[in-house]
Amino acid sequence: MIHYRFHASPLGELLLAASEQGLCGLYFPQHRHFDGPALWQRDDAHALLQQTALQLDEYFKGERREFTLPLDLRGTAFQQRVWQRLMQLPYGATSSYALHASAIGSASAARAVGAAIGRNPICIVVPCHRVLSSDGSLAGYAGGLERKRYLLAFEAARQIRKAA
């Protein structure tokens, strides 16, 4: 059974979803590759979803740089490798699809890596927004490029403050 709730954020209302194993979804409105919680159960009091909401609030206040939530990432073995590597990208840092492909041992698979990143079911927590094109330009984001631009600028601004 998947439980879900909605949570307000600076980027719009987020849908948070959890299985018995952990957080399994974090979606924006009009999120690509997500059709909605058809057979899920709404549960605003679910403990993990409440913890997720709290950590997201801390993140958006600039008080949290890493999430400490149990995750239930569901995907192919290749997608799992891509998503696990995403979680190693530090707050405020960026990478490219090509570098990400090399880091998982699939140097010629930048397009496949991009597709796997686009299917990341737990945005923000699994920071797919930190991956850019090789030339540094924004490319693809299931929540929309404006949200990706916001998240990158948000983290960059807090990196500068911390260094000062």
Side-chain angles (χ1 to χ4, degrees), residues 45-59:
H46 190 278
L48 177 56
L49 297 178
Q50 288 183 333
Q51 182 64 26
T52 302
L54 174 68
Q55 289 192 24
L56 284 166
D57 288 345
E58 292 169 348
Y59 171 83

Side-chain angles (χ1 to χ4, degrees), residues 64-134:
R64 175 174 292 277
R65 292 169 180 253
E66 294 180 20
F67 294 90
T68 56
L69 301 162
L71 302 181
D72 181 11
L73 284 162
R74 299 174 182 194
T76 66
F78 181 78
Q79 288 172 328
Q80 295 282 337
R81 285 190 3 241
V82 170
W83 299 335
Q84 290 299 320
R85 182 67 185 166
L86 281 174
M87 290 187 286
Q88 295 174 22
L89 276 174
Y91 182 97
T94 59
S95 184
S96 71
Y97 296 100
L99 288 173
H100 204 77
S102 291
I104 64 162
S106 299
S108 63
R111 285 182 190 252
V113 163
I117 289 172
R119 295 262 181 197
N120 169 23
I122 309 176
C123 65
I124 303 172
V125 172
V126 178
C128 53
H129 60 276
R130 296 178 187 155
V131 182
L132 309 171
S133 294
S134 292

Side-chain angles (χ1 to χ4, degrees), residues 8-53:
S9 83
L11 296 171
E13 188 172 62
L14 301 171
L15 185 144
L16 316 177
S19 69
E20 298 305 316
Q21 290 74 41
L23 186 68
C24 63
L26 199 161
Y27 302 101
F28 294 108
Q30 299 89 36
H31 197 103
R32 253 184 308 164
H33 312 299
F34 178 65
D35 296 326
L39 301 175
W40 298 356
Q41 180 178 344
R42 182 153 181 179
D43 185 353
D44 292 338
H46 190 278
L48 177 56
L49 297 178
Q50 288 183 333
Q51 182 64 26
T52 302

